[in-house]
Amino acid sequence: MKTQIRQATLEDVPAISNIFEVLEMGKKMWSRNKLRNRIIDEKKEFYLLIIKNNPVGAISLDFITGDCEVEAIAIRKKGRGYGSNLLNYSVQLAKDKKCEIIWCYTMDYYNARGFYESNNWKEVECEFDKIRGNNILKFAKKLIWFN
């Protein structure tokens, strides 16, 4: 099975938007117009996981702070290692850009704790969100790189 991860272009905006629809507020936060603006104006980086010429996963990364934030990650079919592939790819990108840490926030109701822990990320923060009535978890992975 041919697997490819590549940086998304403006032509990929519809696929990214469709994949991110599974996320809370996916249609609002990841609409096609907002995605275009994030790529063009905000210089955000999006990557697609493609299997047999079909996009099956996407990840949004922000390198502006000097660290790397995983803003969003979504997969069409869970349990096949696709999410881990994207996460590991993002870790390598962050190392290549000399980031010291890669991190993300996730809502507890996504049940992603096991996913991040199985990829050697550590839970570093947990805060209760009164509006959503759920915990917001922060996971991080410290990156080591040498000149």
Side-chain angles (χ1 to χ4, degrees):
M1 177 177 348
K2 186 177 178 185
T3 302
Q4 175 191 18
I5 298 175
R6 65 167 174 78
Q7 189 165 3
T9 66
L10 288 174
E11 293 174 2
D12 297 313
V13 164
I16 297 167
S17 182
N18 289 340
I19 292 168
F20 281 168
E21 279 184 359
V22 300
L23 302 173
E24 178 191 26
M25 297 179 62
K27 290 182 181 182
K28 184 177 180 182
M29 286 186 58
W30 304 105
S31 70
R32 292 177 182 191
N33 285 336
K34 287 189 179 184
L35 283 167
R36 280 187 198 92
N37 290 339
R38 293 173 72 88
I39 291 171
I40 295 169
D41 299 333
E42 299 175 31
K43 308 292 187 223
K44 303 292 181 179
E45 294 185 22
F46 294 85
Y47 294 85
L48 282 173
L49 173 66
I50 300 169
I51 308 285
K52 295 182 181 177
N53 296 320
N54 293 313
V56 298
I59 192 165
S60 171
L61 304 174
D62 183 1
F63 292 100
I64 293 176
T65 63
D67 295 335
C68 178
E69 177 186 2
V70 175
E71 293 184 315
I73 182 171
I75 303 298
R76 285 204 173 128
K77 295 180 181 179
K78 294 183 180 182
R80 298 179 182 199
Y82 298 158
S84 294
N85 288 348
L86 276 172
L87 205 60
N88 291 331
Y89 187 85
S90 68
V91 166
Q92 189 56 54
L93 283 173
K95 285 180 180 180
D96 292 346
K97 292 181 184 247
K98 306 289 191 237
C99 296
E100 293 184 18
I101 193 166
I102 185 169
W103 57 276
C104 71
Y105 286 107
T106 186
M107 299 302 296
D108 203 17
Y109 53 72
Y110 283 130
N111 297 315
R113 181 178 273 121
F115 168 70
Y116 287 106
E117 289 174 349
S118 70
N119 283 284
N120 298 313
W121 289 49
K122 303 282 186 235
E123 184 179 331
V124 295
E125 194 176 304
C126 180
E127 182 179 312
F128 187 74
D129 182 341
K130 293 177 185 174
I131 295 170
R132 293 183 178 110
N134 205 272
N135 289 325
I136 300 172
L137 308 173
K138 182 177 182 180
F139 286 89
K141 184 169 187 164
K142 200 166 196 170
L143 308 175
I144 301 171
W145 52 270
F146 301 96
N147 291 335

